[in-house]
């Protein structure tokens, strides 16, 4: 009897550790510290691997809809930020983009069918978009949108970008540094994995602070588990 109750506390402790570890690895620092407009809440978040951008997202498999909160800082004040899905390939050509920038002192989101490197024109997207909005706060622009997911939800090509300026309502070309050209990845909405791809791939080298905290948390819990095991043995 006694041993069954201690082993259930053991199981509880182990679950707590797994929960804490998976929680801390999914929610990175930017994701948790960022406040979204209208107290919007998304089930998942990933710090995108370049340009300091973050994607908050929730996927509803019932009607195949994806809601996103994309947060990025324009390359210069007066510039633009963009998030896109590319149903036809990787990279910019064919991408269905939402670009937000300041126009007459308010930030507006607009949609573009990116068909050429030479210039862009506002256009409808190839999939349904609704609840589209954009706001600026402390120099960061947040794009909020819901889209009907085009194609396989476990393998979406996403592309994001930031640009320096806007001329006569048309976003000017972005820089071509490696941070800019690397700004694409596969977004997986499959519910079998925790939060899509590569959320934690770089947490160790990206920010010593985060991983150090995680390790301390893990070690603390591990020490707790050892104490628990010890007390069970004594018992
Ligand atoms: C997902 O979409 C369906 C159909 O519109 C809706 O009934 C359900 O409440 C949605 N689920 C969430 C978590 O929003
Ligand atoms: C899907 O469900 C969401 C959440 O319930 C709802 O806001 C949205 O309008 C639905 N989308 C479609 C395309 O039916
Ligand atoms: C800015 O406001 C003026 C006057 O309301 C309007 O004519 C113009 O189209 C606006 N510009 C943009 C880029 O929206
Ligand atoms: C986007 O542009 C391409 C090339 O001009 C065209 O084939 C496609 O139909 C356009 N898509 C939309 C949604 O306008
Ligand atoms: C995730 O990162 C690993 C190594 O860090 C890499 O090999 C893999 O291709 C990445 N996956 C995606 C979907 O980008
Ligand atoms: C991780 O970061 C290193 C350097 O910071 C970079 O070279 C590498 O491409 C990154 N890997 C991923 C998967 O983002
Ligand atoms: C794509 C997606 O929504 N993935 C995960 C988001 O977070 C919830 C709750 O943590 C998971 O159940 C989903 O699998």
């Amino acid at each position: 009897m006694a041993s069954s109750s201690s082993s259930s506390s053991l199981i509880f402790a182990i679950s707590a550790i797994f929960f804490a570890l998976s929680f801390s690895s999914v929610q990175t620092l930017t994701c948790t510290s960022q406040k979204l407009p209208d107290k919007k809440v998304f089930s998942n978040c990933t710090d995108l691997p370049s340009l300091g951008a973050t994607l908050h997202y929730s996927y509803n498999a019932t009607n195949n809809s994806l809601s996103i909160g994309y947060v990025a800082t324009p390359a210069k004040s007066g510039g633009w930020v963009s998030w896109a899905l590319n149903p036809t390939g990787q990279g910019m050509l064919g991408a269905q983009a939402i670009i937000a920038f300041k126009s007459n002192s308010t930030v507006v989101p607009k949609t573009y069918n990116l068909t050429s490197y030479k210039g862009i024109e506002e256009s409808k997207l190839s999939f349904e978009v609704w609840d589209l909005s954009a706001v600026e706060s402390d120099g960061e622009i947040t794009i909020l949108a819901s889209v009907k997911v085009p194609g396989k939800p476990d393998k979406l090509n996403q592309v994001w970008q930031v640009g320096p300026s806007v001329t006569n309502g048309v976003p000017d070309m972005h820089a071509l540094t490696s941070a800019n050209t690397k700004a694409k990845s596969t977004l997986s909405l499959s519910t079998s994995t925790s939060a899509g791809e590569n959320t934690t791939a770089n947490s160790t080298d990206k920010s010593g602070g985060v991983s150090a905290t995680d390790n301390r948390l893990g070690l603390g819990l591990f020490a707790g588990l050892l104490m628990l095991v010890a007390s069970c043995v004594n018992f």
Side-chain angles (χ1 to χ4, degrees):
M1 289 306 139
S3 76
S4 95
S5 87
S6 7
S7 68
S8 69
S9 355
L10 191 61
I11 287 165
F12 174 78
I14 291 171
S15 322
I17 287 169
F18 272 88
F19 178 77
L21 289 181
S22 65
F23 187 78
S24 62
S25 65
V26 168
Q27 303 279 327
T28 59
L29 199 61
T30 316
C31 279
T32 40
S33 64
Q34 248 164 20
K35 289 194 187 68
L36 292 167
D38 304 332
K39 301 205 167 73
K40 270 272 200 186
V41 177
F42 295 91
S43 59
N44 302 77
C45 178
T46 177
D47 287 316
L48 296 171
S50 75
L51 299 172
T54 306
L55 185 75
H56 303 256
Y57 61 100
S58 301
Y59 174 56
N60 187 335
T62 312
N63 67 4
N64 201 28
S65 64
L66 170 68
S67 298
I68 60 117
Y70 166 82
V71 186
T73 306
K76 289 187 182 150
S77 108
W80 51 268
V81 307
S82 168
W83 179 82
L85 286 177
N86 190 337
T88 59
Q90 292 173 344
M92 174 176 158
L93 290 189
Q96 304 293 299
I98 301 167
I99 306 184
F101 51 85
K102 215 177 239 182
S103 168
N104 278 348
S105 80
T106 47
V107 173
V108 291
K110 294 174 187 282
T111 58
Y112 300 81
N113 174 19
L114 302 179
T115 56
S116 151
Y117 289 118
K118 295 202 181 105
I120 63 171
E121 258 177 55
E122 234 182 301
S123 150
K124 278 191 162 270
L125 301 188
S126 61
F127 44 82
E128 211 185 317
V129 182
W130 67 99
D131 291 345
L132 183 57
S133 67
V135 293
E136 187 194 35
S137 168
D138 293 334
E140 280 185 334
I141 295 181
T142 300
I143 294 176
L144 295 173
S146 293
V147 303
K148 194 85 179 171
V149 170
K152 289 206 166 99
D154 61 339
K155 215 173 190 306
L156 294 172
N157 299 313
Q158 69 173 339
V159 191
W160 64 97
Q161 203 49 256
V162 300
S165 55
V166 176
T167 305
N168 297 326
V170 180
D172 295 318
M173 193 178 162
H174 57 80
L176 292 172
T177 68
S178 76
N180 295 94
T181 54
K182 274 195 317 202
K184 55 190 174 189
S185 72
T186 307
L187 177 64
S188 173
L189 305 174
S190 115
T191 43
S192 56
T193 59
S194 53
E197 37 56 76
N198 279 345
T199 306
T200 57
N202 251 350
S203 60
T204 2
D205 47 11
K206 199 160 129 194
S207 156
V210 180
S211 56
T213 312
D214 287 356
N215 286 341
R216 255 178 272 127
L217 181 65
L219 282 177
L221 283 164
F222 188 59
L225 174 64
L226 284 180
M227 267 146 64
L228 207 105
V229 171
S231 73
C232 289
V233 170
N234 287 341
F235 204 74

